[in-house]
Amino acid sequence: MSKKPSKLRLILRFMPGALPWFLVTIAFSALVMFCDMVMPQIVSVTVDSVLGGLPFALPASVLALLGGENALRGPQSGLLLMAAAVAATAIVAALARYVSRVAGTRGSERYVQSMRDALFSHIQKLPFAWHTKNRTGDIIQRCTSDVDQVRGFVTGQLVEMVRILFQVGFSMAAMFAMNAALTMVALGFVPVIFGYSCFFSWRIQKKFQAADEEEGTLSTIAQENLTGVRVVRAFGRERFERDKFERQNETYTMAWVNLGGTLSWFWTLSDFIPILLSMVLVALGSVSAVRGEISAGQFIAFLSYAAMMAWPLRQLGRMVSEMSKAGVSIDRLNHILSAPAEQDRPGAVAAPLKGGIAFEHIRFGYSPEKEILHDVSFTIPAGSTFAILGGTGSGKSTLMHLLNRLYELPEGGGRITIDGIDIAGMKAAALRDQIGMVLQEPFLFSRTIGENIALSLQQPDEKALRAAAADASLEETIAEFPLGFSTVVGERGVTLSGGQRQRAAIARALIKDCPVLVFDDSLSAVDTKTDARIRAALARHRGKATLILISHRVTTLMAADQILVLDGGRVAELGSHEELLARGGIYRSVWDLQMQGGEREHE
Amino acid sequence: MNNWTEREDEPVKLKFFGLGKILPYLRPYRGVTVLICLLILVDGFCSLAVPLFQRYAIDVFIAEKTLDGFPAFVGGFLGVLLLQVAASVIWVKNAINVEMFVGRDLKRAGFNHLQTLSLTYFNQNAVGYILARVMNDTNQIARMLSWGVVDSLWALVSIMGSFAIMLGLNWRLALAVMAVMPIAVVVGGFFQGKLVVWNRRVRELNSRITGNFNEGITGAKTTKTLVVEEKIEREFRAATADMRKTAVRSARFGALFISITTFLVVLSIALVLYYGGQLTREGLMLIGTLSAFTNYALSLVNPIQNLAGFITELITTQVNIERFTGLLATKPGIADSPKVLQKYGDAFEPKRENWEPIKGDIEFQDVSFRYPDGDENVLEHFNLKVPAGACVAIVGETGAGKSTLVNLVCRFYEPSEGRILIDGRDYRERSQLWLHENIGYVLQSPHLFSGSVRENLLYGRPDATDGEIAAAVRAVGAEGIIERLERGYETDVGESGDLLSTGEKQLLSFARAILADPRIFVLDEATSSVDTLTERLIQQAIDRLLAGRSSFLIAHRLSTIRRADLILVVQAGKIVEQGSHEALLAKRGDYYTLYTQQYEEEATSELLEHQTE
């Protein structure tokens, strides 16, 4: 195996909890195997000695345990003992089989559990920049299909392979003990079985992959037909769609028919070769037995062992050819697990904040070639209200991303301080915990609306929940829900409108009593009346928290202590409402425009 | 992406496991199926003969210490094996073929039926759900039909053949072995049944975990800003721990099933050894026969387990059969009358020679309408005349029900009462396809298909020339897009056009509509945020599109609204105001409010963006 050490390390990383169970599995399947091996011996002894009168080929201790030679030769007792031995072996085998299977699942589930937990935990810790670079569907694919693939490799193949090697080894040893010459013949079949199964598995895998791709294409055609059903109908292209699907359906079917040809040979030969082996052994064994080199009982036992050796060998070929698949999956998981997680600087502090913020000469772009913020500086005194106005792409949201360190400022990109402390030297969790940020397109988790709002609380607090919902003007909406605060929202529950989602997110941020609150255009989907009510509620926080508002509505912005107009990543205007009005710049134009509409409305 | 969290349907019980509903799909392949069955018999008998050869070797060659007839023995043995190989290769290949052909036929039936269903069905069922009916259920049904039959037949042949031979060898011993059988099947069946239930739970948990992953990834920004990573992670760990416990419980039943059935069969060997040994000792049976008996008894393990497995498969597949036949039984909400079909043809076989050319006059005559799942009329006795070439704009808040009129014009829904006339005739007197080929429809979220840009542009009119394509692209100002693309018109747009930006998709879908050159045009205008330049291009494209056609627009942009001949204002599903732009402004009602608000937003954005340029 030419596995890179990192692949091996990844496989071993999740082993600790699972390994004991895997060892139990292997130990007990060895016991099953032992029982399976003993069975032919019992039959052999019965045939040769109990019935045939040959001396017992048993160790003295076993013989004594069974009551001595005479008891065994007794007309009834001997057979009864042998039958009892078979039954006893069967019971032990059944118990061992049960234990080994359950232990196997335990190990496998532990393994996959620690793999999933590690992935999820790591994904949570990865920087936001990583999340924006990777597609959700792709990551989920890795966390599900590739995890299954690796699990299949570890439990289905590594463990199974150890078991098979045991079984093959044991059978060979038993055969050698009985007749070396016949064993050599049986051994001659080993490379044949192994080789052809490798060859076929490799071919089948390729054809299978091809068929899989055709199925994917077929599925895409059907899916696009369904998502685009209005387009199909509007252009009257049902017939075209039918033919397109029909063609690919045929292609896919024929890919499988092609694969079926190979499969039918593979399966048939898989059965044929071991039977051929037993035929050869029957023929040669007969000759040996006639020559008196082997007894009838041994002949029977030998055939059983040969079968035990030959059948599992077929699987070994498949396993070898599937290793390459597992290797690819491991690489895909490594892509996630080896991505560097967010890390605080050594000696990072976690001080309670008052909320005096300063942006100092900020230069930043998401990619090095395209700078979005060009030397932006401003300060926000603790407890004041600060408003930002700017067009799409002017860098408003970017400023907020930098403030709670969803993105880190590069070296020489200026610095942001809160209460005089550079945020780069703070613990990220402590920083974010004290900045209540409401995003423009908030995400709600699939759980109750109450749980969503109280997400950041350690203990459920009914009073705080109601107060936050009230401040966010969400009470009436929730009262309309059938289950009130216990109504499940999100993907698996009630779908909320954009405005309702925004208000839920506001309540979620308000429940925490943060020294800094940021509203990143988070009232855009809320009507003007509700907007005003929420702002009135926010006014009560005035002085207690630093408030940053981003909006297009001047009515939202005008009451702020300072208003910043951002233009193409530069500070265009900065001052109070009155100052900016007097200045007659962008803010003034927007104000005139919106007030003129407002006045018209009130005429 | 709902398919990550698709819930399992409740298990169902059908008459004869629902086989009656799907056996017709096996009919075309009944010849092959019979051949498969015959070859399985051959294969099975060959397998059964193998222990007999061993018996012969022991009882004749070894017991009598002679090699008389040895070459014939080897020849016979080899002959049987080769016959088996031939039979097996042929039937396995054909069984796979039957599985695939039945699956293909089922898929075709499902897909073609979907093409006739009305949009109500697609609004009520998620894409992932419908897709699973066509792709997964059909696979499962075909597999059960083909392999279920094959496996169970094989198992039956093995079990019955083994018993027949055992009976022939020694009937008393055979009966002793047989006594174990029913117990093994019943016990096995019981644990298999348990296993089915637990496997369901495992699958449900599995999709929950996938859902959790989805949430953990799409909600990453929120999780970080709220600093709730630990909480979310704790919940995830609870789910995976739950998964482990359930999977282990499920495995217990699987392990019990395998252990007990194997145990019971092996136990029968104890019987064979005891009674058979006595018989041999008394000289009533030869040693080789005894060995053959143990072989036959052991060979029962797999067939018994297969049989139990098949019964389980039969039980679980009922759900798939139910869902799939349910799809086929869904009646299209809108169907052309037989008379119309006879004259105009259906969607697959249109009789274009009988189609009248269209002018584009549209008239709503006393139309009342309620949605099939709604409980009140959203239109009542609505009258509207749109002369050919006129433009109607529909405005209103998101979710106010602006799509209703458009759905009616496109005949995605039909009026509950009253009629809609196209060129003076009720549109139900002509086929849906006739109407649809004359309507151009551009959606809020443009939808492209996998394939090249050219293939997508040709979607509405496959026989357009290169010159016409280029003209359409120029008309919407999309030539810049084509130039930027690496392979021009031959560039692959990706699944659902994902390799293009929203603005690019929008413009190309306009070009596609222009190329189809319909007399009636319906536009569901996008509100998606595109850059100012694209915005302007889209604006111009719309103007070109509408020139000279009757049109219905669900409009958001002021420029689009203002150019309309008639504006309908929709609120809470009903039309509250209608008239020209000037008349409605003068009225100072809902339109006025909407208009000023929109004006303010657009002007503010423009003001702020303008600075940047």
Side-chain angles (χ1 to χ4, degrees), chain A residues 10 84 150 179 183 231 309 354-355 362 369 372 482 484 491 495 524 537 542:
Chain A
L10 185 116
V150 173
N179 189 308
T183 309
V231 178
M309 180 200 76
K354 287 212 297 290
I362 304 298
E369 310 89 57
I372 290 174
E491 207 173 323
T495 312
S524 58
R542 220 169 179 148

Side-chain angles (χ1 to χ4, degrees), chain B residues 60-78:
Chain B
V60 178
F61 301 134
I62 298 176
E64 293 172 18
K65 301 224 178 276
T66 162
L67 285 176
D68 285 348
F70 189 68
F73 170 80
V74 173
F77 202 160
L78 202 58

Side-chain angles (χ1 to χ4, degrees), chain B residues 301-544:
Chain B
V301 174
N302 280 328
I304 288 176
Q305 286 169 357
N306 281 353
L307 211 54
F310 170 64
I311 293 169
T312 321
E313 186 119 332
L314 211 53
I315 294 169
T316 50
T317 310
Q318 286 180 102
V319 180
N320 307 91
I321 295 176
E322 167 84 359
R323 288 189 299 214
F324 183 72
T325 51
L327 164 65
L328 288 189
T330 308
K331 292 239 164 32
I334 291 163
D336 293 324
S337 70
K339 222 174 91 190
V340 168
L341 284 178
Q342 205 190 356
K343 183 168 177 202
Y344 295 92
D346 66 8
F348 297 134
E349 305 298 335
K351 297 178 181 164
R352 287 207 170 75
E353 62 277 12
N354 294 338
W355 286 13
E356 294 92 352
I358 186 170
K359 228 171 89 215
D361 291 325
I362 303 164
E363 187 178 356
F364 282 65
Q365 256 186 8
D366 201 30
V367 169
S368 297
F369 177 70
R370 78 169 62 180
Y371 279 99
D373 51 357
D375 45 14
E376 66 168 322
N377 280 351
V378 288
L379 278 184
E380 282 205 59
H381 306 290
F382 176 70
N383 286 289
L384 179 69
K385 254 190 176 160
V386 184
C391 173
V392 179
I394 304 159
V395 301
E397 307 250 0
T398 319
K402 294 183 295 251
S403 308
T404 305
L405 280 177
V406 160
N407 283 333
L408 284 170
V409 169
C410 293
R411 211 177 150 197
F412 292 152
Y413 292 91
E414 287 175 351
S416 315
E417 276 169 60
R419 351 184 263 162
I420 295 173
L421 309 181
I422 309 267
D423 293 350
R425 263 176 74 187
D426 190 333
Y427 67 5
R428 281 174 289 205
E429 288 172 25
R430 292 182 176 117
S431 71
Q432 294 175 69
L433 198 69
W434 173 84
L435 179 68
H436 291 158
E437 290 213 341
N438 285 306
I439 289 188
Y441 185 74
V442 176
L443 288 142
Q444 200 175 53
S445 44
H447 183 274
L448 300 184
F449 296 88
S450 308
S452 67
V453 172
R454 179 192 304 278
E455 282 165 355
N456 270 290
L457 291 175
L458 288 176
Y459 198 79
R461 216 177 104 219
D463 55 354
T465 63
D466 284 1
E468 287 169 319
I469 295 177
V473 166
R474 263 197 312 278
V476 299
E479 62 267 37
I481 298 176
I482 308 288
E483 277 163 25
R484 266 197 306 279
L485 293 173
E486 207 171 302
R487 300 184 51 216
Y489 285 108
E490 308 311 323
T491 311
D492 186 60
V493 300
E495 204 170 302
S496 301
D498 280 348
L499 298 179
L500 302 177
S501 74
T502 310
E504 289 169 335
K505 281 198 269 187
Q506 191 72 261
L507 285 176
L508 288 179
S509 77
F510 286 147
R512 174 173 70 185
I514 281 210
L515 199 56
D517 195 25
R519 295 329 304 153
I520 303 172
F521 201 81
V522 171
L523 170 71
D524 195 344
E525 198 178 46
T527 44
S528 55
S529 45
V530 289
D531 60 87
T532 345
L533 183 72
T534 317
E535 172 79 39
R536 230 167 273 156
L537 281 175
I538 289 176
Q539 221 32 254
Q540 289 162 5
I542 291 176
D543 290 346
R544 305 260 174 84

Side-chain angles (χ1 to χ4, degrees), chain B residues 2-186:
Chain B
N2 293 327
N3 45 352
W4 287 320
T5 51
E6 201 197 321
R7 266 166 280 179
E8 299 253 331
D9 280 330
E10 284 302 304
V12 290
K13 283 203 171 75
L14 301 175
K15 230 191 245 173
F16 303 116
F17 300 106
L19 285 176
K21 296 183 181 182
I22 47 152
L23 274 180
Y25 288 93
L26 199 55
R27 263 186 83 84
Y29 312 105
R30 57 184 184 280
V32 187
T33 309
V34 170
L35 176 74
I36 292 171
C37 291
L38 288 176
L39 289 175
I40 286 179
L41 288 181
V42 173
D43 187 356
F45 287 138
C46 292
S47 295
L48 290 168
V50 170
L52 289 180
F53 278 97
Q54 283 184 25
R55 166 179 172 252
Y56 187 83
I58 294 169
D59 287 349
V60 178
F61 301 134
I62 298 176
E64 293 172 18
K65 301 224 178 276
T66 162
L67 285 176
D68 285 348
F70 189 68
F73 170 80
V74 173
F77 202 160
L78 202 58
V80 167
L81 288 189
L82 291 179
L83 179 64
Q84 187 181 13
V85 167
S88 167
V89 166
I90 297 173
W91 80 250
V92 170
K93 179 161 179 45
N94 279 296
I96 293 175
N97 287 357
V98 168
E99 178 193 350
M100 294 318 296
F101 292 157
V102 169
R104 174 193 63 192
D105 296 352
L106 288 167
K107 285 191 185 74
R108 178 199 295 134
F111 186 85
N112 288 355
H113 187 69
L114 281 173
Q115 306 310 306
T116 67
L117 289 182
S118 43
L119 286 185
T120 328
Y121 182 81
F122 298 94
N123 290 339
Q124 285 166 352
N125 296 285
V127 167
Y129 181 84
I130 308 175
L131 191 65
R133 302 295 73 79
V134 176
M135 297 300 296
N136 306 349
D137 287 341
T138 51
N139 280 345
Q140 175 63 26
I141 294 171
R143 185 161 54 234
M144 196 275 287
L145 260 193
S146 174
W147 288 101
V149 170
V150 164
D151 279 348
S152 56
L153 182 67
W154 170 257
L156 282 177
V157 169
S158 306
I159 293 173
M160 283 160 59
S162 295
F163 275 126
I165 293 175
M166 283 196 273
L167 280 173
L169 291 175
N170 188 306
W171 67 270
R172 263 178 293 195
L173 208 47
L175 286 180
V177 174
M178 225 182 280
V180 177
M181 277 289 300
I183 310 174
V185 172
V186 168

Side-chain angles (χ1 to χ4, degrees), chain A residues 253-536:
Chain A
T253 305
M254 290 334 273
W256 255 98
V257 166
N258 181 338
L259 171 60
T262 314
L263 276 179
S264 65
W265 276 106
F266 175 60
W267 287 343
T268 303
L269 290 183
S270 289
D271 288 354
F272 171 69
I273 293 183
I275 296 178
L276 188 69
L277 169 63
S278 82
M279 190 206 93
V280 169
L281 290 177
V282 166
L284 295 179
S286 300
V287 176
S288 301
V290 170
R291 287 193 199 141
E293 289 162 12
I294 186 171
S295 71
Q298 279 180 328
F299 174 74
I300 296 170
F302 196 90
L303 287 178
S304 305
Y305 290 134
M308 270 186 220
M309 180 200 76
W311 292 98
L313 270 182
R314 303 176 305 164
Q315 295 173 30
L316 222 47
R318 181 177 55 82
M319 288 177 189
V320 169
S321 66
E322 275 187 4
M323 274 183 190
S324 59
K325 266 202 238 166
V328 174
S329 289
I330 291 172
D331 280 341
R332 284 166 58 83
L333 292 183
N334 253 337
H335 167 80
I336 297 177
L337 288 170
S338 63
E342 270 188 310
Q343 242 171 0
D344 291 319
R345 284 190 192 168
V349 294
L353 301 178
K354 287 212 297 290
I357 303 167
F359 284 74
E360 300 171 13
H361 305 288
I362 304 298
R363 290 182 175 279
F364 180 77
Y366 294 103
S367 59
E369 310 89 57
K370 203 179 161 200
E371 198 176 84
I372 290 174
L373 296 168
H374 319 284
D375 194 14
V376 174
S377 297
F378 57 89
T379 54
I380 308 171
S384 70
T385 301
F386 192 84
I388 304 177
L389 175 70
T392 328
S394 63
K396 305 167 289 184
S397 297
T398 309
L399 279 175
M400 297 304 112
H401 285 157
L402 293 171
L403 177 62
N404 77 347
R405 278 180 48 203
L406 284 176
Y407 290 89
E408 302 276 355
L409 274 171
E411 203 62 41
R415 62 175 206 151
I416 301 169
T417 64
I418 301 184
D419 302 341
I421 311 166
D422 189 342
I423 59 166
M426 293 173 71
K427 287 198 162 108
L431 173 72
R432 290 175 192 153
D433 200 32
Q434 300 185 72
I435 300 177
M437 188 164 300
V438 189
L439 306 167
Q440 189 177 359
E441 279 170 16
F443 179 87
L444 294 185
F445 292 89
S446 287
R447 58 196 73 196
T448 70
I449 179 98
E451 285 168 337
N452 262 296
I453 295 173
L455 203 60
S456 57
L457 297 184
Q458 291 304 322
Q459 299 293 326
D461 183 343
E462 185 79 7
K463 228 177 93 187
L465 179 63
R466 287 189 186 280
D471 281 352
S473 286
L474 198 62
E475 274 177 320
E476 286 159 31
T477 312
I478 290 175
E480 280 169 24
F481 288 154
L483 293 170
F485 279 101
S486 308
T487 308
V488 176
V489 296
E491 207 173 323
R492 269 168 286 178
V494 177
T495 312
L496 301 185
S497 73
Q500 287 170 336
R501 272 211 305 279
Q502 286 189 342
R503 283 182 282 148
I506 291 170
R508 185 164 67 182
L510 289 179
I511 203 168
K512 242 190 332 184
D513 268 335
C514 297
V516 179
L517 282 170
V518 178
F519 288 70
D520 186 354
D521 207 4
S522 40
L523 292 163
S524 58
V526 173
D527 63 71
T528 28
K529 267 183 242 155
T530 317
D531 182 345
R533 266 165 62 196
I534 295 173
R535 272 184 288 119

Side-chain angles (χ1 to χ4, degrees), chain A residues 75 224 233-234 237 241, chain B residues 117 235 244 281 436 450 459:
Chain A
E224 287 189 343
R233 298 301 162 83
R237 296 288 269 155
E241 288 289 312
Chain B
L117 289 182
E235 287 174 4
R244 171 172 55 82
R281 172 167 291 166
H436 291 158
S450 308
Y459 198 79

